[in-house]
Amino acid sequence: MIEIVSAERCVACDKCVLACPTNVFDRGPGGVPVVARQEDCQTCYMCEAYCPVDALFVAPHTHPLPAGSPLREEPEVAGAGLLGSYRERIGWGRGRVPGARLAVGPDLDRAGPAPAAGRAPAGPARGARD
Amino acid sequence: MRLDADVLVLGGGPAGAWAALGAAEAGASVVLADKGYLGTSGAAAGGGNNLWYLPPDPGLRAAAIAGRQRLGGLLTDVDWMARVQEETFRQVNRLASWGYPFPRDASGQERRSSLQGPEYMRRMRRRVHRGGVRILDHHPALELLADEAGVVTGAAGLRRQEGFARWEVRAGAVVLATGGCAFLSRAFGLNVDTGDGHLMAAELGAELSGMEFSAVYGASPEFGNHTKGLMMQYATYYDERGRPLGTAGPAGRDLLARRLAAGERVFARLDRAPAALREAMRRSQPNYFLPMEKAGIDVFTQPYPLRLVLEGTVRGTGGLRLSGEDCATTVPGLYAAGDVATRELVTGAASGGGSLNGAWAISSGTWAGAGAARFAGTRGPLPPPGALRPAGRAGMRPGGPGVGRAEVDAFVAAVQERVLPLRHNYFRTAEGLTESLRLLDPLWEQARDRLGAAPGDGRTALRAREAAALAAHARWMYRSALARAESRGVHRREDRPAAGPGLAHRLLVSGLDRVAVRRDPVAPRLLTGAGVP
Ligand SMILES: Cc1cc2nc3c(=O)[nH]c(=O)nc-3n(C[C@H](O)[C@H](O)[C@H](O)COP(=O)(O)OP(=O)(O)OC[C@H]3O[C@@H](n4cnc5c(N)ncnc54)[C@H](O)[C@@H]3O)c2cc1C
Ligand code: SF4
Ligand code: SF4
């Protein structure tokens, strides 16, 4: 769930308010978004991808983290290089190569360890699960 | 707010985006309204899509159809499958020509069979916008509008970021592209998919098909929700004491479900991934690896606990029945595309979430958009807005004063209690299904008669309508599941573990107060002939 909005980094662009599919944010004082409805967060990481200044952090948990959890603390998350990490991985932002361009991955339709592949019909017909 | 258009598209996932393009390219004026935001909302934006993208090699395509019809329990239609192959190939190549950054393999060849979610949907938004489509983000639709003859002539909903004011769009035809239904399970990106479109269509008498194929769960870490299945092919499962249990695949899924349903924990470790592949794996699916890294888990060396999250009819196959190649539903003026439509024609009883659903969203979206534009073009002047009948009832027009948020939340929880647990939905029995329906039928009556928000409480209004849609969905699923007294594809009947010989046909379901199931008079049409297994 969304855990961190960095007021220090935020440039009040409203992108996250618009992009969040479940309307979790409200525009707050000075334009810095507030997490108005954390319980509606579906942990989809989209706000992280759209924030142009890496001000947001979505923890991978589907429940709010307890007080004291390091993933709620901006200095620790920033220190671990995790602020804006989704945007970085999908290669969005100036000077980056789109992650889609690099997403060659293993040859997923044909390769794969024998036991899994052996059970499925051969060739591209198989269609791996996502 | 009132607008007019030739075609109104409801939903802005891939199906809605391709439908809007299809309609606009046919010359129609188009409005697209999404509950969330076109670009981030829906299953594909979060999850990404591998695609049924096959070059026009007849042998290859026929083999793919043969393989999938077998996997799909022989409920498929060969013509629809061939059309999807053709259309997907054409449209994905257009996507490439618009500049989608497909990866290249070692030989320099572009690989066009996989789309990264955020990149794909951001580009679709741009394209739709450039096509002249008016995009309304955060405009959930609540109900359809019909003319005197019952022809769909628009829709209405709420402006979620403008004080929940009402919007109405009058249109010559409507495309439903509202996705499947994952019952607010918090599955990856799926809480927007609550089956609203199915309910809207059923209120005007639409039929559905394949709703028994809805018991689909995805494996995610226990603490989270990213049900990315692809990498699991490299996993070994372990029990709590570190003893290996087996590997992923159909048998692994069963084992996982059985153990988890029995309250035993299961752990996964991707230790079967060759070391040389690991870096490429990380790069190809950040939405699987990054959450694990954030949680401090190295999936190649550390076993992590799993759970199964319901994905319902998103990665199941049931949805609105289509009555023609243009993706018309059984209601005049109403078209359906993507997960809101039945995908049995191409995936049969097997999950299409793995290459077929994404291809279906592209193809059916294209056809539905063009079909809706054609239909709109045949209509004369539309009746004045005041003459249109708003068709919404359950969850939005209660007989009484409406209820508060707490009561709506309790209602949702009551539906979820019969639908989310593996023991009720994955492991089905006649007895269990009957008991679920005994509890769900009065919930539907409650949705119809009592559920709805007090005036001014827009957020509750939206959830109450979603809640009614969940109840309707659950009843269609379980009535169909009772009627299919066998196991086939993702529909598993513990009391009927084998496929029944007389049941190799599709099942149609319809109705809200009284739900009725019947055999589809249209029989599956299979690829036959030499070399077909
Ligand atoms: C984790 C995951 C991985 C997947 N991987 C693959 C894969 O590899 N290959 C594959 O083929 N398929 C895959 N799928 C399935 C595929 O993503 C879907 O089939 C596809 O996204 C369907 O497109 P859609 O537009 O019909 O629905 P969605 O993408 O779900 O979009 C539905 C849209 O409708 C909107 N909406 C809902 N209700 C309303 C309303 N009342 N008013 C207005 N708008 C509304 C939503 O906001 C949303 O934008 C995967 C699914 C998941 C969950
Ligand atoms: S993770 Fe998704 S649902 Fe949660 S706040 Fe960000 S965009 Fe919204
Ligand atoms: S997207 Fe980032 S910079 Fe823009 S308002 Fe949100 S947090 Fe602030």
Side-chain angles (χ1 to χ4, degrees):
Chain A
M1 281 185 157
I2 177 78
E3 289 290 354
I4 296 173
V5 180
S6 167
E8 211 175 299
R9 294 184 180 214
C10 174
V11 294
C13 72
D14 277 351
K15 284 221 170 84
C16 57
V17 180
L18 192 60
C20 171
T22 55
N23 202 31
V24 163
F25 304 99
D26 278 340
R27 190 169 221 274
V32 177
V34 290
V35 178
R37 292 163 293 273
Q38 191 190 25
E39 71 274 21
D40 287 347
C41 174
Q42 56 170 358
T43 319
C44 67
Y45 309 102
M46 288 297 150
C47 51
E48 264 195 37
Y50 275 76
C51 177
V53 293
D54 301 336
L56 299 172
F57 178 73
V58 180
H61 305 74
T62 43
H63 50 83
L65 292 173
S69 159
L71 292 184
R72 281 181 55 170
E73 305 302 327
E74 184 178 338
E76 310 208 15
V77 169
L82 289 175
L83 270 183
S85 46
Y86 191 48
R87 193 166 78 98
E88 187 201 333
R89 291 300 173 84
I90 61 174
W92 283 10
R94 197 180 287 277
R96 289 178 175 158
V97 179
R101 174 83 72 206
L102 305 173
V104 179
D107 196 349
L108 297 162
D109 271 336
R110 269 142 288 186
R119 221 171 270 118
R126 175 154 91 84
R129 257 186 74 88
D130 66 321
Chain B
M1 185 191 67
R2 284 183 194 279
L3 292 173
D4 282 341
D6 295 328
V7 172
L8 170 64
V9 178
L10 301 178
W18 286 104
L21 274 182
E25 284 168 2
S29 67
V30 185
V31 171
L32 181 153
D34 192 84
K35 183 188 282 185
Y37 176 84
L38 165 51
T40 61
S41 204
N49 280 177
N50 272 358
L51 293 177
W52 214 39
Y53 174 86
L54 299 164
D57 166 340
L60 197 68
R61 287 191 174 179
I65 289 176
R68 287 301 309 209
Q69 73 184 18
R70 185 159 37 90
L71 205 66
L74 307 181
L75 297 184
T76 46
D77 185 291
V78 60
D79 290 348
W80 280 89
M81 293 174 97
R83 289 176 71 219
V84 166
Q85 290 181 332
E86 190 73 39
E87 191 66 56
T88 303
F89 187 72
R90 187 176 79 88
Q91 293 290 41
V92 172
N93 289 347
R94 285 182 78 204
L95 197 58
S97 74
W98 302 334
Y100 180 93
F102 284 105
R104 288 178 193 281
D105 61 20
S107 64
Q109 190 77 8
E110 252 191 22
R111 297 254 199 116
R112 295 187 179 169
S113 57
S114 185
L115 294 166
Q116 188 213 61
E119 188 73 48
Y120 173 33
M121 291 311 298
R122 185 171 69 162
R123 282 169 184 276
M124 288 307 294
R125 181 185 181 91
R126 228 179 271 160
R127 196 76 205 170
V128 166
H129 177 73
R130 283 199 200 136
V133 174
R134 170 113 187 235
I135 301 170
L136 305 174
D137 300 302
H138 296 289
H139 277 57
L142 292 186
E143 60 179 339
L144 295 171
L145 307 173
D147 73 4
E148 259 180 359
V151 180
V152 173
T153 312
L158 299 173
R159 308 176 72 190
R160 195 166 67 170
Q161 293 192 337
E162 279 91 11
F164 289 94
R166 185 173 165 93
W167 61 264
E168 281 188 19
V169 175
R170 192 172 57 147
V174 172
V175 178
L176 283 173
T178 46
C181 178
F183 292 93
L184 294 170
S185 68
R186 287 188 195 280
F188 199 31
L190 303 191
N191 266 21
V192 290
D193 292 336
T194 47
D196 310 352
H198 306 74
L199 174 57
M200 288 187 248
E203 283 170 334
L204 290 172
E207 265 189 314
L208 300 99
S209 180
M211 291 300 285
E212 66 276 30
F213 305 119
S214 42
V216 179
Y217 292 75
S220 86
E222 210 171 58
F223 56 79
N225 69 344
H226 61 289
T227 49
K228 296 288 299 169
L230 184 57
M231 293 303 166
M232 301 312 284
Q233 66 180 309
Y234 298 105
T236 307
Y237 295 142
Y238 297 92
D239 70 8
E240 195 132 25
R241 292 165 58 191
R243 286 178 302 212
L245 296 170
T247 56
R253 182 156 306 269
D254 251 32
L255 174 141
L256 194 59
R258 277 194 201 286
R259 292 227 162 207
L260 292 175
E264 295 162 27
R265 294 176 88 197
V266 179
F267 296 72
R269 183 171 65 188
L270 271 51
D271 39 25
R272 293 157 65 241
L277 267 187
R278 293 180 183 184
E279 201 36 50
M281 287 168 67
R282 277 187 204 282
R283 261 206 307 273
S284 73
Q285 292 216 329
N287 59 359
Y288 170 76
F289 286 97
L290 184 60
M292 304 307 294
E293 287 167 35
K294 285 179 171 178
I297 295 166
D298 176 357
V299 294
F300 297 118
T301 59
Q302 287 170 276
Y304 66 92
L306 294 174
R307 69 177 180 124
L308 285 170
V309 191
L310 183 66
E311 296 176 331
T313 50
V314 173
R315 286 213 262 197
T317 73
L320 293 168
R321 180 190 182 203
L322 300 178
S323 65
E325 290 191 350
D326 57 357
C327 296
T329 67
T330 51
V331 179
L334 188 64
Y335 294 74
D339 287 353
V340 73
T342 181
R343 283 137 288 157
E344 274 174 306
L345 298 164
V346 292
T347 78
S351 171
S355 72
L356 275 173
N357 278 359
W360 172 252
I362 294 170
S363 309
S364 62
T366 303
W367 301 329
R374 218 163 19 240
F375 185 87
T378 64
R379 294 184 74 175
L382 299 178
L388 297 178
R389 180 172 66 87
R393 169 94 200 256
M396 64 181 293
R397 292 203 170 81
V403 300
R405 177 75 186 200
E407 192 169 324
V408 176
D409 287 345
F411 181 95
V412 169
V415 175
Q416 286 177 326
E417 167 49 33
R418 295 312 299 186
V419 174
L420 299 189
L422 292 162
R423 67 181 183 284
H424 296 320
N425 195 355
Y426 189 90
F427 299 109
R428 295 171 169 178
T429 61
E431 203 184 336
L433 292 166
T434 305
E435 174 65 5
S436 289
L437 286 164
R438 191 182 68 75
L439 294 162
L440 289 164
D441 287 345
L443 282 173
W444 169 256
E445 284 164 23
Q446 186 187 336
R448 187 193 57 201
D449 301 336
R450 281 178 48 77
L451 217 58
D457 187 358
R459 189 164 167 251
T460 299
L462 179 54
R463 183 48 54 91
R465 183 65 168 158
E466 292 174 338
L470 300 186
H473 219 81
R475 291 170 72 235
W476 293 320
M477 273 164 47
Y478 285 167
R479 285 263 180 254
S480 306
L482 254 185
R484 189 170 285 288
E486 61 161 357
S487 292
R488 190 182 295 265
V490 298
H491 166 68
R492 150 191 299 282
R493 281 278 299 264
E494 288 288 278
D495 52 346
R496 304 283 179 118
L503 283 161
H505 54 76
R506 296 184 287 263
L507 292 176
L508 305 177
V509 63
S510 61
L512 288 165
D513 292 338
R514 286 199 39 225
V515 176
V517 179
R518 68 183 180 113
R519 177 186 180 144
D520 188 345
V522 181
R525 286 184 305 161
L526 303 172
L527 182 68
T528 52
V532 175

